[in-house]
Amino acid sequence: MTLSNSALAPSIEVQHLSKRVADATGELTILNEINFTVQAGETLAIVGASGSGKSTLLGILAGLDTPTTGKVILDGVDIFALDEDGRAGFRKEKLGFVFQSFQLLAHLNALENVMLPLELRGDKSAREKSEAMLDRVGLSTRLRHYPKYLSGGEQQRVALARAFVTEPPLLFADEPTGSLDATTGESVIQLMFHLNRERGSTLILVTHDLSIASRCGRTLTIAGGRLVKE
């Protein structure tokens, strides 16, 4: 059987990506001529020292930030050819994101936080899917708890449930264990990789922890805004 060009296309393609911002001394280069591809279903770690540009890169890949030059093509879509509303719509359909600081809405309980992305898509099964996902991450008894009554590990599990509940083809995680102690962080990482294998999504993980990075199929190293190892 011959595959179509679209079937062979990488899930993520980054072309000549640069990010520069103005500062007190003139212009600061955060990212400089970044190029790489990620195939559908791959797991990729982006590592580097604090300030190397790795979180900025992830934010641009997700369309949460904009590059100065270059392209990001996700599932065949040049996301910066879209306007801001178009990028938001693309994220809603294609992307899950796990933040270091959880980014849960304080006025919503665990179930409501997980339901939110499904409700934004008009999914009439939002409650049932969210309850099942929270059970999947071990929080079936915490559905009605608000974030302030959950531990850091429980909050990150809610964030994982929210990221995975829409079954996104792309999952981005920015230092997902950075706010957790070692034991809790290890359990969250195990859960994230297990869910990712189960769902078959493409995972891009930013971390400073090389032991976490080693669990991914491939690692990119960023130093001084440049890709120094692939």
Side-chain angles (χ1 to χ4, degrees):
M1 181 177 66
T2 301
L3 295 175
S4 67
N5 288 336
S6 61
L8 294 171
S11 181
I12 301 173
E13 187 173 356
V14 178
Q15 302 175 355
H16 307 292
L17 193 72
S18 296
K19 175 72 174 181
R20 296 183 292 274
V21 297
D23 69 1
T25 63
E27 189 174 68
L28 176 66
T29 298
I30 300 174
L31 296 171
N32 193 2
E33 276 293 306
I34 304 292
N35 294 276
F36 64 91
T37 60
V38 183
Q39 301 297 327
E42 259 197 287
T43 56
L44 174 73
I46 300 172
V47 302
S50 178
S52 61
K54 58 187 186 298
S55 289
T56 298
L57 175 57
L58 194 70
I60 292 174
L61 295 182
L64 298 169
D65 194 0
T66 56
T68 304
T69 59
K71 290 184 176 182
V72 175
I73 300 170
L74 303 182
D75 267 10
V77 176
D78 180 353
I79 63 170
F80 295 109
L82 305 173
D83 61 16
E84 191 171 338
D85 288 342
R87 290 195 297 275
F90 182 89
R91 283 194 297 272
K92 184 172 67 175
E93 294 299 321
K94 298 283 189 178
L95 239 167
F97 206 115
V98 181
F99 299 88
Q100 175 179 339
S101 56
F102 319 134
Q103 297 290 333
L104 301 178
L105 296 177
H107 65 284
L108 300 180
N109 63 32
L111 178 60
E112 291 164 341
N113 265 284
V114 178
M115 287 174 61
L116 185 60
L118 291 172
E119 290 180 325
L120 291 173
R121 292 168 66 167
D123 192 321
K124 298 187 183 303
S125 302
R127 179 173 296 274
E128 292 79 7
K129 290 178 179 178
S130 298
E131 288 176 347
M133 196 67 226
L134 282 164
D135 181 59
R136 183 70 188 77
V137 301
L139 291 177
S140 59
T141 63
R142 311 288 275 173
L143 304 183
R144 308 285 185 250
H145 288 70
Y146 290 87
K148 67 180 179 180
Y149 298 115
L150 299 172
S151 69
E154 288 171 334
Q155 290 185 60
Q156 193 59 294
R157 285 171 180 265
V158 174
L160 284 177
R162 182 182 59 190
F164 278 103
V165 75
T166 60
E167 300 188 359
L170 299 168
L171 179 71
F172 294 161
D174 188 7
E175 299 281 10
T177 63
S179 299
L180 306 175
D181 64 76
T183 300
T184 304
E186 172 61 21
S187 68
V188 165
I189 282 293
Q190 286 184 7
L191 177 61
M192 185 179 71
F193 277 104
H194 184 80
L195 288 171
N196 195 67
R197 287 192 300 271
E198 188 178 83
R199 302 299 170 103
S201 51
T202 303
L203 171 65
I204 309 295
L205 169 68
V206 161
T207 183
H208 65 277
D209 188 329
L210 296 182
S211 67
I212 293 175
S214 68
R215 303 185 190 191
C216 291
R218 189 157 59 105
T219 299
L220 301 182
T221 301
I222 303 286
R226 290 182 178 272
L227 183 62
V228 297
K229 179 183 177 183
E230 180 170 1

